[in-house]
Amino acid sequence: MTTSLRLFLIALACTGSTRCAKILGVMPDGGKSHHFIGSAYTKALAEAGHEVTVIAAFREKHPPPNYREIVMEELYDTMLSFMENPFEYSDVSPLMNMYSLYAEFGKFTSSYTLNHPKVQQLLRSDESFDLVIVETFLTEALYGLAQHFNASLVTYSPLGSTLWTTELTRTPVPTSHVAHFTLNYGDKMSYGERFWNTVVNWADRLMYRTLHMPAQKQLYERAFPNARVTFEEQMKNVSLVLLNSHFSLSSPRPYPPNVIETGGVQIDKVNPLPENLQAFLDGATDGAIYFSMGSFINSKDFPVEKRDTFIKAFARIDQRVVWKFEDESILDLPNNVLIQSWLPQNDILAHPNVKVFITHGGLLSGTEALYHGKPIVGIPVFGDQTMNVQRAVKAGFGVELQYKDITESNIENALDKVLRDPKYAETTRSISRRYHDKPMSAKETALYWLEYVIRYQGAPQLRSPAMALTLIEYCSIDVYSLVVTISILITISLYLAIKIDYHKCIPSKVKRNKKID
């Protein structure tokens, strides 16, 4: 198809109910998994005919013709310096993880993006946009791009619902049944779990407001000295929040209308596998296992003894193993193991001979496993991975293998448990059916609501009226204070009235007693 024909078709696509809009997508995270989520939204908008500009760490292989990229090439390598050995984080407490995020990582992403020469050039230009889409991952200062370009603001979360999204929409977060994303709790918590969940939530809120937000406000004011609105006003001016979650895969939550679940938006159509992978999986008569630690954690970074433990365990099983291993020079692999530095995960998981997915427990990997109905063996390392894996364990579609417990026998036992017990495959297929049973795909859902915001100039009708309330008003502290005050006054009045009446009665009784005497 020629470029002119493509542009004609794009123009034709904009003749519907939604006008062609100019959109700025901001994907400031150096993690590829986060990028996949953001690019799914921006490419969907471009394919629908909108003119899209993106600020990102990675370049698309086959972008649409109306898709302009402002690429920060150095961001990925710079990000790696924050986590040289991710396996060290497997035993770090949730509170320490959060402190590290707020004290170290939080300032970096926003500052790096706003000060990048290409972004500065865009800020100095006379360009305008109708919509700005920003990843919400400790990036609050970047929301200022919306007011700078006088555009509506949409944010998306690669983790699902967190404090960083609930603060934007005043979403209720009852700690009695909504677990913090760093904890491995389900919806039904014991008293001890509810107590610790409440402590972690309030500690998170305290660090967010005292460590993180002042730094973001400073960055905002430095980057946008002539801002139309204040930092606090921009935080309340979010039209839509897109979450990488879905109730059928996790849990139902109390969301306002401008919070939309689009879990699985990154999942594209299944493509044919490369010949070597197709032949290897087709020949897996006893089934196959897919093993990947995701896009940020590299299997090649496993300590040698851990790596060799996996190889020895795989040599003793009947299944074939496709392993995302970033060093293809490794020798002495068993015949049933195939390694490659990059693998088409979605296409592999779609193969009918793949029976188990060994994963780090990232949200994208977990969603793709359920999408294709594959149970998991989870090896969580940091972040929300422990919670995701524990959710799989409690829901019955996976087992956990802790990093510190990796031994040949534990690997074999975990795989044997999932492969031999049919309940894991049955549960996974059941959840997969529930996920697929919906009127629109995740991408179609996201596109509809993004265009809804464009059609209605920010769609203020979606926002909760709670956004206009102060914390005292939102929690009805002023109302309860008045009720308590009135109750106290009534109690005091009744007490005084009874006391006075009592003292009046005493002299009368004394007089009657004297007359009797």
Side-chain angles (χ1 to χ4, degrees):
M1 185 184 293
T2 64
T3 301
S4 58
L5 180 56
R6 278 196 294 248
L7 291 173
F8 170 75
L9 292 175
I10 289 167
L12 189 64
C14 291
T15 60
S17 59
T18 301
R19 63 184 176 83
C20 269
K22 290 189 66 177
I23 295 163
L24 176 64
V26 187
M27 298 174 265
D29 198 291
K32 291 182 181 178
S33 58
H34 289 210
H35 177 84
F36 294 153
I37 296 292
S39 64
Y41 298 129
T42 52
K43 286 192 290 187
L45 285 162
E47 289 162 3
H50 302 284
E51 186 180 338
V52 177
T53 298
V54 296
I55 300 169
F58 306 98
R59 193 177 299 278
E60 297 297 323
K61 290 184 179 179
H62 304 290
N66 50 325
Y67 196 86
R68 177 173 57 135
E69 298 176 286
I70 299 173
V71 182
M72 301 180 290
E73 290 90 352
E74 313 86 1
L75 180 56
Y76 177 68
D77 291 332
T78 308
M79 284 271 295
L80 290 179
S81 64
F82 278 92
M83 194 177 292
E84 295 179 0
N85 183 6
F87 297 109
E88 293 178 351
Y89 287 76
S90 59
D91 293 324
V92 177
S93 71
L95 292 177
M96 282 305 299
N97 266 328
M98 285 189 294
Y99 178 82
S100 297
L101 280 173
Y102 291 138
E104 300 172 20
F105 182 77
K107 302 173 189 176
F108 166 75
T109 305
S110 296
S111 177
Y112 185 94
T113 303
L114 290 170
N115 291 315
H116 196 279
K118 294 179 182 178
V119 177
Q120 283 292 309
Q121 184 178 355
L122 179 67
L123 288 171
R124 290 192 296 268
S125 72
D126 58 356
E127 289 199 55
S128 62
F129 296 95
D130 302 294
L131 186 71
V132 172
I133 307 173
V134 184
E135 177 186 357
T136 178
F137 194 84
L138 308 174
T139 53
E140 287 80 4
L142 299 183
Y143 302 166
L145 290 165
Q147 62 78 32
H148 179 83
F149 293 111
N150 198 25
S152 300
L153 175 62
V154 171
T155 70
Y156 68 92
S157 169
L159 297 180
S161 181
T162 65
L163 173 65
W164 318 326
T165 61
T166 58
E167 286 285 292
L168 298 174
T169 57
R170 281 284 169 87
T171 299
V173 189
T175 57
S176 56
H177 70 93
V178 177
H180 192 274
F181 78 95
T182 61
L183 298 175
N184 60 349
Y185 301 156
D187 295 335
K188 298 177 181 179
M189 293 180 262
S190 65
Y191 175 80
E193 288 174 336
R194 284 188 288 115
F195 175 82
W196 183 238
N197 187 47
T198 302
V199 170
V200 171
N201 267 277
W202 280 104
D204 186 8
R205 196 176 297 274
L206 179 64
M207 286 188 279
Y208 177 74
R209 291 183 175 173
T210 59
L211 288 177
H212 178 68
M213 291 301 280
Q216 291 294 308
K217 180 179 180 179
Q218 189 178 38
L219 288 170
Y220 178 96
E221 292 173 345
R222 189 183 305 154
F224 308 106
N226 302 313
R228 294 183 176 89
V229 297
T230 65
F231 176 72
E232 291 79 11
E233 289 169 335
Q234 184 63 75
M235 285 288 292
K236 294 180 180 180
N237 197 28
V238 178
S239 298
L240 188 71
V241 175
L242 300 171
L243 301 181
N244 181 31
S245 59
H246 192 266
F247 65 87
S248 65
L249 306 179
S250 52
S251 302
R253 293 287 183 258
Y255 297 132
N258 64 336
V259 177
I260 305 297
E261 292 191 310
T262 58
V265 70
Q266 82 283 1
I267 302 174
D268 212 337
K269 66 180 185 299
V270 176
N271 297 306
L273 288 167
E275 289 184 12
N276 67 321
L277 284 173
Q278 187 70 49
F280 187 78
L281 291 173
D282 287 346
T285 54
D286 293 308
I289 296 162
Y290 174 57
F291 183 11
S292 171
M293 292 299 289
S295 59
F296 194 77
I297 303 172
N298 291 324
S299 291
K300 71 178 180 64
D301 293 331
F302 273 119
V304 174
E305 63 274 12
K306 299 281 188 185
R307 180 200 68 188
D308 292 344
T309 298
F310 279 112
I311 293 173
K312 291 174 184 176
F314 293 154
R316 290 158 52 176
I317 63 176
D318 297 325
Q319 291 74 29
R320 291 187 173 184
V321 179
V322 178
W323 187 359
K324 179 180 172 289
F325 197 94
E326 298 74 19
D327 182 5
E328 297 182 26
S329 65
I330 186 172
L331 302 175
D332 300 325
L333 286 171
N335 292 330
N336 66 326
V337 176
L338 182 152
I339 66 168
Q340 283 186 197
S341 58
W342 178 88
L343 289 165
Q345 180 163 294
N346 185 56
D347 307 327
I348 290 172
L349 290 172
H351 197 285
N353 284 348
V354 174
K355 305 301 181 185
V356 180
F357 179 14
I358 304 177
T359 171
H360 64 309
L363 194 53
L364 270 66
S365 292
T367 302
E368 289 162 16
L370 288 170
Y371 182 92
H372 293 290
K374 310 295 183 180
I376 71 164
V377 170
I379 309 172
V381 178
F382 64 90
D384 65 330
Q385 295 164 14
T386 298
M387 185 183 74
N388 296 335
V389 172
Q390 276 297 308
R391 183 180 289 155
V393 172
K394 292 172 182 176
F397 66 89
V399 299
E400 181 178 12
L401 175 61
Q402 292 190 16
Y403 175 76
K404 63 183 177 61
D405 295 332
I406 292 174
T407 63
E408 290 180 52
S409 60
N410 285 343
I411 294 169
E412 286 186 76
N413 290 338
L415 289 172
D416 189 67
K417 188 175 182 180
V418 177
L419 287 166
R420 306 300 175 200
D421 190 340
K423 76 172 185 180
Y424 289 99
E426 291 167 4
T427 300
T428 311
R429 287 194 293 267
S430 175
I431 296 172
S432 183
R433 284 194 299 271
R434 296 202 302 262
Y435 173 78
H436 285 281
D437 190 0
K438 52 188 176 181
M440 292 189 291
S441 69
K443 188 173 288 188
E444 289 168 339
T445 301
L447 182 60
Y448 172 82
W449 287 106
L450 286 165
E451 292 192 328
Y452 184 94
V453 170
I454 295 169
R455 282 197 297 274
Y456 296 104
Q457 292 80 48
Q461 64 271 23
L462 293 176
R463 295 176 207 167
S464 169
M467 294 301 298
L469 302 177
T470 64
L471 182 63
I472 289 176
E473 292 169 333
Y474 178 71
C475 298
S476 294
I477 293 172
D478 51 348
V479 175
Y480 293 133
S481 299
L482 181 60
V483 170
V484 170
T485 302
I486 292 173
S487 300
I488 291 171
L489 290 174
I490 291 173
T491 302
I492 293 172
S493 299
L494 287 172
Y495 171 77
L496 292 174
I498 293 169
K499 186 177 180 181
I500 292 169
D501 189 59
Y502 174 77
H503 284 297
K504 284 180 179 179
C505 291
I506 293 299
S508 300
K509 287 182 180 181
V510 170
K511 288 178 181 178
R512 283 198 298 269
N513 290 336
K514 285 182 178 180
K515 286 180 181 180
I516 293 170
D517 292 341

